[in-house]
Amino acid sequence: MEQFVSPDRSLSVCKRVCYAAGHFLNDLCASMWFTYLLVYLHSVLGLRSTYAGVMLLIGQIADGVCTPLVGYESDRTPGALGYGKRKTWHLLGTVCILVSFPFVFSPCLACAESTPQWAQVVYFSPFVIVFQFGWAATQISHLSLIPELVSSEGAKVELTAYRYAFTVVANITVYTVAWLLFHFKAQHSMDPSIAESLGQEDIPLFRTLALIMLGTGASFSLIFHVGTKEHASASEKENRLITPSLSQEPSCRPVFQWKWWLKEPSFYQVAFLYMCTRLIVNLSQTCISFYLTNSLMLPKNFIAIIPLVIYVSSFVSALVMKPVSKRIGVSMTYLFGLLLVLSFATWVFVDKTMGAESIYGAAVLLGAGSAAILVMSLSMTATLIGEQTQSGAFVYGSMSFTDKVANGVGIIIIQSIRPCSTESCCPDCVWFYRNVMATVTGGVAMAAGLCLFTLLIWPIRIRKN
């Protein structure tokens, strides 16, 4: 049964679910990467904050470089052995993730106590680069299928919402399993202090968490490959644009080339908006653990509980995304999400003595707002691509490039200006991450609002004839 549909048709619920399952492994790994990597490297392995930031920056740059390259190659190369070209790249990326990610959350196998920290960075770097290449290949190929599977704007929003719902479920899965592991460890420990702070004794916990996520994600990737049938060949579609059939008009427009996108103003508008969106989502996700443990002085199990609250609210928000966007429009839905994010930033900045009870309400605002702006920004990207699916992977790759590099630079700046670089925290460091959570999310949200204003004046469309 063909998966490529005409504008007046839509995918069945089963096919939407199978498609959305294809990014589950990426989402599981991304959740661990952004939420726990810095905490693991700094508080568990004991690396200096700058070295931990360098590790994440290496990964972000590798991902940023790989995404446009993968997008370009995915658009121009056919699938292997008759397999769809998007699914071929997806399968390659999945294999790379499975063989590299376990080493990211395991201690250096060739290191001793006297090994300098820079040597550990060298050891981890190849695994990080392979992982990020695999993540980019899976992400771009999966996103590129959206405009190929459905054509109408409403169907794209719906499919994107399904995809984000799986993203939320993946994050909920990570934080639930992490909370259970923390809970069981605290119950079976004779030392009460273990439940309060992170240390080297938590290495097996993070390694176990990574292995559970990989096994779960691999199962969902199998569902995607079995249940999603890519259109026979994207190159056949391109040929139909160039060589008209008997039922087509004698004159056809040429294939929209990747370099033409660089001349489109809407391309840069959507890219900047997507970059701001990912900065809000990823930087808040990265800093939330430090904010909870260093600024609010909460027990370490809160680094699983609060992110879980964030993504439960995200899941509820994703469920209502389609009817809301259909009623008020994609841009207004994005604006509403920005207002929720700004409300969170204001709450964190004003309430300097936020307790364990108040943080739940702030987490709900952040989760609902993040879901709205992320789903809508992806829908805007799909709208930009429209019928130009033959170069869609390049567009998604370029968007992801801006996102990854900006996130990497942002994190290394935050880690570099952190008041103390050692494992323990000084008094100045206590409120550092509170200020980061408030000013970064709020400031980037205002920048995204300005970009959204330009899209309201000059709507998304291809202006090149």
Side-chain angles (χ1 to χ4, degrees):
M1 186 177 296
E2 286 188 347
Q3 282 281 67
F4 183 81
V5 295
S6 58
D8 58 342
R9 294 178 59 194
S10 180
L11 298 178
S12 67
V13 173
C14 180
K15 291 177 181 178
R16 292 178 218 157
V17 170
C18 289
Y19 166 78
H23 207 252
F24 201 69
L25 174 62
N26 265 28
D27 292 329
L28 292 170
C29 294
S31 179
M32 287 197 63
W33 174 266
F34 284 110
T35 307
Y36 294 135
L37 181 67
L38 289 182
V39 172
Y40 175 75
L41 294 175
H42 182 62
S43 300
V44 178
L45 295 187
L47 294 182
R48 294 172 62 89
S49 60
T50 49
Y51 283 130
V54 166
M55 283 291 300
L56 202 144
L57 177 62
I58 290 172
Q60 294 303 105
I61 291 178
D63 194 357
V65 171
C66 288
T67 43
L69 295 179
V70 168
Y72 175 73
E73 290 297 326
S74 176
D75 285 332
R76 65 186 290 271
T77 56
L81 301 176
Y83 206 48
K85 65 180 183 179
R86 308 301 188 194
K87 290 176 66 177
T88 297
W89 279 94
H90 187 284
L91 182 60
L92 174 62
T94 300
V95 172
C96 290
I97 291 173
L98 293 176
V99 299
S100 61
F101 195 70
F103 295 96
V104 176
F105 279 91
S106 297
C108 176
L109 299 178
C111 300
E113 291 186 4
S114 59
T115 303
Q117 293 193 357
W118 64 264
Q120 296 188 50
V121 174
V122 174
Y123 168 83
F124 282 114
S125 295
F127 299 114
V128 168
I129 292 172
V130 172
F131 162 66
Q132 291 292 359
F133 167 79
W135 204 96
T138 305
Q139 180 204 31
I140 298 306
S141 57
H142 193 256
L143 281 171
S144 301
L145 280 172
I146 293 178
E148 294 185 10
L149 295 176
V150 293
S151 300
S152 67
E153 182 175 347
K156 291 173 183 176
V157 171
E158 186 175 33
L159 200 57
T160 304
Y162 268 82
R163 186 179 183 273
Y164 186 72
F166 267 78
T167 300
V168 173
V169 172
N171 282 273
I172 291 174
T173 301
V174 170
Y175 302 135
T176 301
V177 174
W179 177 80
L180 290 173
L181 291 174
F182 280 124
H183 180 71
F184 291 148
K185 183 174 181 180
Q187 275 193 331
H188 293 85
S189 174
M190 302 297 293
D191 185 1
S193 64
I194 290 181
E196 300 297 325
S197 59
L198 293 163
Q200 290 191 350
E201 66 276 359
D202 293 306
I203 290 176
L205 186 149
F206 284 98
R207 181 172 56 228
T208 301
L209 179 62
L211 293 176
I212 292 174
M213 293 306 105
L214 286 177
T216 305
S219 301
F220 278 83
S221 293
L222 180 62
I223 293 173
F224 164 77
H225 281 275
V226 172
T228 302
K229 294 184 180 179
E230 187 176 346
H231 189 231
S233 173
S235 61
E236 293 178 9
K237 182 182 174 185
E238 295 173 9
N239 290 337
R240 287 198 295 271
L241 288 172
I242 300 173
T243 307
S245 62
L246 294 176
S247 61
Q248 289 177 317
E249 295 293 329
S251 174
C252 261
R253 63 169 179 250
V255 175
F256 199 87
Q257 299 179 24
W258 67 268
K259 59 186 177 182
W260 292 355
W261 287 110
L262 303 179
K263 302 178 181 179
E264 294 294 334
S266 291
F267 175 80
Y268 296 99
Q269 290 174 291
V270 175
F272 183 80
L273 192 71
Y274 181 76
M275 180 190 72
C276 291
T277 300
R278 296 303 310 193
L279 277 172
I280 293 170
V281 175
N282 293 340
L283 289 183
S284 62
Q285 188 176 6
T286 301
C287 297
I288 190 70
S289 296
F290 290 107
Y291 172 61
L292 295 171
T293 56
N294 294 351
S295 297
L296 301 185
M297 302 296 184
L298 296 173
K300 66 183 181 182
N301 63 328
F302 271 79
I303 69 174
I305 295 174
I306 297 304
L308 180 60
V309 173
I310 291 174
Y311 279 94
V312 168
S313 65
S314 295
F315 181 72
V316 175
S317 179
L319 291 177
V320 301
M321 205 63 61
K322 182 185 177 182
V324 171
S325 64
K326 187 175 182 180
R327 179 175 293 272
I328 67 175
V330 173
S331 297
M332 289 298 101
T333 306
Y334 187 95
L335 178 60
F336 179 72
L338 279 183
L339 293 177
L340 292 178
V341 172
L342 285 170
S343 299
F344 163 81
T346 303
W347 192 346
V348 170
F349 185 77
V350 172
D351 191 355
K352 298 183 179 181
T353 59
M354 184 179 293
E357 297 80 13
S358 300
I359 189 61
Y360 288 101
V364 170
L365 290 177
L366 178 61
S370 297
I373 61 176
L374 186 55
V375 172
M376 291 304 104
S377 65
L378 288 172
S379 298
M380 291 177 188
T381 307
T383 300
L384 173 67
I385 294 171
E387 298 178 358
Q388 314 302 331
T389 58
Q390 67 281 350
S391 57
F394 172 78
V395 176
Y396 282 117
S398 301
M399 303 294 169
S400 189
F401 172 79
T402 62
D403 141 45
K404 298 304 186 302
V405 173
N407 274 283
V409 172
I411 288 169
I412 193 62
I413 291 175
I414 292 171
Q415 290 297 98
S416 299
I417 63 176
R418 189 175 187 263
C420 54
S421 60
T422 57
E423 182 179 348
S424 59
C425 263
C426 64
D428 291 336
C429 186
V430 171
W431 299 113
F432 174 73
Y433 282 102
R434 179 190 71 87
N435 295 332
V436 168
M437 289 295 294
T439 57
V440 171
T441 55
V444 177
M446 287 189 286
L450 292 175
C451 182
L452 181 65
F453 179 71
T454 67
L455 285 172
L456 294 175
I457 299 175
W458 301 289
I460 299 172
R461 67 183 180 91
I462 295 177
R463 295 172 170 82
K464 183 180 178 65
N465 294 323

